[in-house]
């Protein structure tokens, strides 16, 4: 286990673990890792923590996870072993207690036989992705016992495996490209709902579903009524995890076929005629098989260029569909407009294979910084007339709010991820697709959706980006909406005049002189030690089941907006919740920004890079506290310039020692300044909206010169 794992066990920060290593000669020695990131044996760490009185008992979840993370054969092999044990626990529930009672040596000899029978029943006699793994279970016997206990604690084998798999994926975010649950459920609904099965009268009939780049099985797991599930991935380990994930799913069908190998070069299902294909293919691959696959029969719509790997996956998906079957692929936006792919796009349109292009908001799926597209395709039925229109849907800007996730900013797309109103996106896309799929056409909704005649798209570029073909929303709003914006702006500007602070003619005094000079000062740290306030750091906590909790991020504080983040999933951990009257201070950036929590924000969780100061109302006025903490000289004195990221030491912030009545006088003035500042922000937003609306209206003819 790493230093981070030790800190999690003991409930401390990583700095405390570093201090223990320096100060205690008997601290366990590293058993692996590197000099900068050493790893330690769980048993040694557990014993040392207990001897030091820093640990009562290692939680079962943490114990099992550390056994996986430190497994001698690697975490993926350990996950496969744990999944096999969980499958045995579920399918051999009557026999498992007797097996678990055996000593390790006997269990090692008996398990392979029992697993062989169980895997054959669930996955069939041909299961090449798991066969090499079953014979090497001896080092994993303690892990297998722990996994069985975890299933009992978590009320099921599937939650236990999903927890362990999720921990592994979270610990290696750059190693895997995942499809989040939101896009996965939308893709599954598009591929398997509505009239996706025209050959069957019963639309609830089980389906044969294929994912030719299945990864860890997220897309296949989202299918609600599979009759046969087929998956393939070039990574053998990922294919094994997918097979177990599907086998452990309560909704999994009996027919589960998962293979390893490159689907483009070595297709494991060449004769398959699936009802639906779901795929999140690798993007921008140059080495996808362009040279050796030039005469492959799958290229019905044209031979993809070397730079158009995504169009190779599109045609592979179509080739594995039965006539009338539906495929949904997650695509990079460039695939809709690159000139090198225009001929293939044109043929997909002419023959009616491409039915819809949906622009998702940025943050829907990795890479999170760009708005990806969904392509909905249908294999043409021989003898049927090709569809004359293409559905274009743009959700890229209409279903996001403001703010970020725990103040992480936009460099990796986390802020756009958490601004996403995914239920609204899901509903908008499905409503548009269902109506279009039923009627073959759709009335245009400005800025959102439109059924575009194919003939309009067959120009020199064959550009299928939805935003380029949808009427702008401003054209529908027209002059009436702009007049309303102008009225609101006039009201807000009038309000700013009322709130403008009066001229300052003399310095405020407290006891005969300037407050900060003669009243004496104290620091936040001193007030905390005296009990006048309590300090809390943000960033911890997980989302409770069935009760989503919003997160106030440092971006929210800086932008003076409502909480916009969300808590991550994970083991139960209570977050720091805001209460009305709390004072929140961002600790990064060195800027002057402080927020007093109001009633609407109360109950939200405190995000990362934020410090919460909870004053005792009998000793401190929150607006007085916030106002003095925001002073430029104060934040400069308490900032650290030891690194490129300026960090504020909240405990060093100063404020004058004043009686509560005097604090409230200052507090009322600080509150008025905050209201004035917010009104100025509102005027700025309305002004920008009015100016841009007038530019757009004059340009598109909805506003007269």
């Amino acid at each position: 286990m790493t230093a981070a794992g030790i800190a999690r066990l003991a409930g401390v920060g990583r700095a405390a673990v570093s201090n223990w290593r320096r100060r205690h000669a008997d601290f366990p020695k590293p058993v692996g890792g590197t000099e900068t990131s050493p790893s330690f044996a769980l048993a040694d760490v557990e014993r040392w923590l207990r001897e030091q009185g820093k640990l009562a008992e290692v939680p079962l979840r943490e114990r099992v996870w550390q056994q996986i993370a430190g497994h001698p054969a690697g975490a993926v092999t350990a996950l496969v072993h744990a999944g096999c044990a969980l499958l045995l626990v579920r399918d051999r529930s009557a026999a498992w207690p007797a097996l678990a009672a055996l000593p390790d040596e006997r269990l090692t000899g008996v398990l392979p036989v029992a697993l062989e029978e169980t895997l054959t029943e669930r996955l069939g006699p041909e299961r090449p992705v798991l066969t090499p793994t079953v014979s090497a279970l001896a080092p994993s016997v303690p892990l297998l016992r722990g996994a069985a206990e975890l299933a009992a604690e978590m009320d099921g084998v599937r939650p236990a495996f999903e927890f362990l798999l999720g921990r592994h994926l979270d610990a290696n975010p750059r190693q895997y490209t995942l499809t989040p649950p939101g896009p996965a459920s939308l893709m599954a609904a598009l591929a398997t709902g509505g009239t996706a099965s025209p050959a069957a009268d019963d639309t609830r009939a089980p389906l044969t579903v294929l994912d030719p780049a299945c990864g860890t099985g997220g897309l296949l797991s989202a299918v609600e009524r599979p009759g046969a599930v087929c998956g393939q991935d070039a990574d053998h380990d990922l294919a094994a995890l997918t097979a177990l994930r599907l086998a452990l799913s309560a909704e999994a069908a009996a027919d589960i076929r998962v293979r390893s190998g490159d689907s483009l070069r070595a297709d494991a299902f060449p004769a398959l005629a699936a009802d639906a294909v779901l795929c999140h293919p690798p993007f921008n691959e140059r080495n996808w098989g362009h040279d050796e696959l030039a005469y492959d029969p799958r290229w019905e719509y044209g031979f993809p260029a070397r730079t158009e790997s995504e169009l190779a996956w599109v045609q592979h998906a179509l080739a594995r569909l039965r006539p009338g079957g539906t495929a949904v692929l997650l695509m990079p936006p460039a695939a809709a407009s690159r000139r090198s792919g225009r001929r293939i796009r044109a043929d997909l349109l002419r023959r009616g294979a491409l039915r819809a292009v949906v622009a998702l908001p940025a943050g829907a799926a990795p890479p999170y910084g760009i708005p990806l597209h969904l392509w909905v395709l249908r294999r043409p039925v021989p003898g049927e007339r090709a569809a004359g229109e293409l559905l274009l849907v743009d959700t890229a800007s209409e279903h996001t709010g403001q703010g970020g996730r725990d103040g992480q900013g936009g460099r990796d797309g986390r802020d756009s991820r958490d601004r996403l109103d995914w239920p609204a996106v899901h509903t908008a896309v499905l409503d548009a697709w269902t109506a279009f799929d039923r009627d073959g056409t759709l009335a245009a909704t400005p800025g959102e959706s439109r059924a575009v005649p194919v003939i309009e798209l067959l120009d020199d570029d064959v550009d299928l980006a939805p935003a380029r073909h949808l009427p702008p929303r401003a054209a529908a709003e027209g002059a009436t909406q702009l007049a309303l914006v102008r009225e609101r702006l006039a009201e807000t500007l009038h309000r700013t005049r009322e709130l403008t602070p009066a001229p300052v003619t003399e310095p405020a005094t407290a006891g005969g002189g300037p407050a900060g000079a003669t009243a004496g000062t104290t620091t936040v740290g001193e007030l905390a030690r005296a009990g006048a306030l309590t300090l809390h750091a943000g960033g911890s906590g997980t989302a409770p089941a069935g009760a989503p909790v919003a997160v106030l991020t440092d971006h929210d504080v800086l932008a003076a907006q409502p909480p916009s983040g969300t808590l991550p999933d994970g083991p139960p951990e209570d977050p720091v919740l805001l209460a009305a009257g709390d004072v929140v201070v961002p600790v990064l950036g060195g800027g002057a920004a402080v927020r007093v929590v109001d009633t609407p924000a109360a109950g939200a969780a405190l995000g990362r890079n934020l410090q919460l100061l909870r004053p005792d109302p009998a000793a401190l006025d929150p607006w007085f506290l916030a106002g003095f903490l925001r002073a430029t000289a104060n934040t400069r004195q308490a900032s650290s310039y030891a690194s490129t990221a300026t960090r504020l030491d909240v405990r060093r912030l100063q404020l004058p020692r004043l009686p509560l009545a005097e604090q409230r006088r200052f507090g009322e003035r600080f509150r008025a300044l905050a209201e004035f500042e917010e009104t100025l922000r509102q005027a700025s937003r309305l002004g920008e909206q009015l100016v841009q609306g007038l530019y757009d209206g004059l340009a598109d003819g909805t506003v007269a010169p």
Side-chain angles (χ1 to χ4, degrees):
M1 64 188 309
T2 64
I6 297 174
R8 191 162 47 243
L9 276 179
V12 298
R14 293 186 60 180
V17 178
S18 299
N19 288 335
W20 293 342
R21 292 185 62 196
R22 287 194 301 268
R23 295 169 53 192
H24 297 276
D26 60 341
F27 191 87
K29 303 300 179 185
V31 295
T34 64
E35 184 175 347
T36 57
S37 181
S39 58
F40 305 84
L42 173 63
D44 295 342
V45 170
E46 181 183 351
R47 182 176 57 256
W48 187 87
L49 290 174
R50 188 172 287 109
E51 290 172 353
Q52 299 294 322
K54 303 179 185 299
L55 178 70
E57 185 60 46
V58 179
L60 178 60
R61 296 185 184 195
E62 191 64 32
R63 183 189 298 277
V64 176
W65 165 245
Q66 293 299 339
Q67 289 173 337
I68 286 177
H71 197 280
V76 173
T77 298
L79 274 173
V80 171
H81 288 178
C84 288
L86 291 171
L87 191 62
L88 191 63
V89 168
R90 190 189 68 179
D91 291 0
R92 297 287 189 273
S93 58
W96 175 253
L99 289 173
L102 295 174
D104 288 359
E105 297 78 9
R106 289 280 310 280
L107 188 59
T108 302
V110 172
L111 271 180
V113 177
L115 278 174
E116 198 73 32
E117 295 174 355
T118 302
L119 292 173
T120 299
E121 290 177 6
R122 295 298 297 162
L123 302 174
E126 295 183 7
R127 49 175 192 285
V129 296
L130 287 173
T131 299
T133 308
V134 178
S135 59
L137 289 172
S140 299
V141 169
L143 168 62
L144 304 184
R145 297 184 189 276
E149 294 176 20
L150 185 62
E153 180 182 276
M154 301 187 71
D155 297 324
V157 295
R158 185 181 184 185
F161 187 74
E162 291 292 333
F163 164 73
L164 296 173
L165 177 61
R167 283 289 292 269
H168 175 67
L169 298 177
D170 289 343
N172 302 275
R174 297 184 180 181
Q175 188 175 343
Y176 305 105
T177 299
L178 307 176
T179 310
S185 64
L186 174 58
M187 293 171 68
L190 288 170
T192 62
T195 57
S197 302
D201 294 330
D202 181 10
T203 59
R204 300 302 298 173
L207 303 175
T208 298
V209 184
L210 167 70
D211 184 350
C214 62
T216 58
L219 286 174
L220 293 175
S221 298
V223 179
E224 293 185 355
R225 49 190 174 93
V229 182
C230 304
Q232 184 172 355
D233 198 89
D235 188 316
H236 181 90
D237 291 336
L238 294 185
L241 292 176
T242 295
L244 284 167
R245 190 177 190 181
L246 294 172
L248 289 166
S249 171
E251 295 82 17
D255 189 5
I256 299 172
R257 289 171 275 168
V258 181
R259 304 289 184 264
S260 62
D262 185 337
S263 291
L264 294 183
R265 289 188 173 91
D267 184 11
F269 306 99
L272 185 68
D275 296 294
V277 175
L278 300 171
C279 188
H280 180 176
F283 295 163
N284 303 317
E285 277 199 340
R286 295 300 181 95
N287 185 27
W288 57 268
H290 178 270
D291 295 336
E292 59 262 46
L293 298 174
Y295 301 103
D296 196 288
R298 288 173 291 184
W299 316 141
E300 291 185 50
Y301 302 89
F303 180 40
R306 189 183 302 275
T307 57
E308 294 287 351
S309 62
E310 296 85 7
L311 294 182
W313 286 99
V314 164
Q315 295 191 75
H316 174 79
L318 283 167
R320 294 297 161 262
L321 285 172
R322 63 161 175 78
T326 303
V328 182
L329 284 84
L330 191 62
M331 301 282 280
S337 56
R338 283 191 296 244
R339 288 188 61 81
S340 55
R342 64 189 186 278
R343 293 183 179 178
I344 294 178
R345 293 195 299 270
D347 207 29
L348 289 169
L349 290 174
R350 289 191 191 97
R351 298 172 61 180
L354 182 58
R355 303 295 291 120
V357 176
V358 178
L360 299 176
Y368 290 107
I370 60 175
L372 300 178
H373 288 178
L374 291 179
W375 284 25
V376 183
L377 304 110
R378 182 157 293 157
R379 184 171 177 82
V381 177
E384 285 192 1
R385 183 178 178 181
E389 294 185 323
L390 175 74
L391 174 65
L392 297 178
V393 181
D394 186 5
T395 66
S397 60
E398 297 305 321
H399 299 286
T400 55
Q402 303 293 327
R405 180 179 193 170
D406 294 343
Q408 291 302 302
R411 285 178 294 180
D412 63 356
R414 288 181 182 172
D415 56 348
S416 58
R417 204 183 325 175
D418 291 306
R419 290 198 303 266
L420 185 57
D421 182 2
W422 187 255
V425 174
H426 194 282
T427 301
V429 174
L430 279 184
D431 287 350
W433 167 251
T434 302
F436 175 79
D437 197 31
R438 180 184 61 246
D439 303 329
T441 188
L442 184 73
T445 302
E448 289 190 7
S449 59
R450 178 191 173 199
V452 182
V454 168
I455 193 66
E456 291 186 16
L457 301 169
L458 295 176
D459 54 15
D460 289 340
D461 295 323
V462 197
D463 190 335
L464 307 182
R468 297 194 176 104
H469 301 281
L470 296 177
R473 184 174 295 271
E477 294 173 348
T480 303
Q481 292 296 325
L482 292 178
L484 293 176
V485 173
R486 184 181 183 281
E487 290 179 9
R488 291 180 59 200
L489 176 59
E491 294 173 0
T492 305
L493 290 174
H494 181 72
R495 179 67 173 153
T496 60
R497 293 183 59 188
E498 295 177 350
L499 294 174
T500 301
V504 178
T505 57
E506 59 184 40
T509 61
T518 64
T521 61
T522 185
T523 66
V524 169
E526 291 172 349
L527 291 170
R529 287 191 292 272
L533 59 81
T534 55
L535 287 170
H536 300 276
S540 62
T542 55
V549 176
V551 175
L552 182 72
T553 71
D554 58 351
H555 182 84
D556 298 332
V557 176
L558 294 170
Q561 63 190 17
S564 65
T566 54
L567 284 175
D569 297 326
E573 184 179 355
D574 292 334
V576 177
L577 299 181
L578 305 178
D582 288 344
V583 177
V584 178
V585 185
V587 297
L588 289 183
V594 181
R595 176 166 176 172
V596 178
V597 177
D598 54 10
T599 301
L606 186 68
R608 282 186 288 178
N609 302 321
L610 291 175
Q611 281 275 354
L612 182 145
L613 289 72
R614 181 162 291 163
D616 179 356
L620 280 174
D621 180 79
W623 285 100
F624 163 79
L625 175 63
F628 275 97
L629 296 189
R630 183 168 168 176
T632 303
N634 205 0
T635 55
R636 184 184 301 118
Q637 187 271 337
S639 295
S640 167
Y641 296 92
S643 66
T644 54
T646 303
R647 189 174 185 87
L648 191 70
D649 185 351
V650 176
R651 290 179 174 272
R652 293 169 57 185
L653 290 168
Q654 298 180 349
L655 61 158
R657 299 178 184 270
L658 293 176
L660 188 58
E662 191 71 9
Q663 291 180 33
R664 288 171 177 162
R665 285 186 57 216
F666 277 93
E668 286 302 316
R669 191 61 181 267
F670 285 134
R671 186 199 295 264
L673 281 174
E675 185 179 0
F676 175 58
E677 182 180 38
E678 175 54 32
T679 307
L680 289 176
R681 285 197 182 98
Q682 178 69 5
S684 175
R685 289 191 288 264
L686 290 170
E688 291 176 359
Q689 185 179 350
L690 179 61
V691 169
Q692 188 60 53
L694 287 171
Y695 270 111
D696 293 341
L698 289 167
D700 60 32
T702 57
V703 176

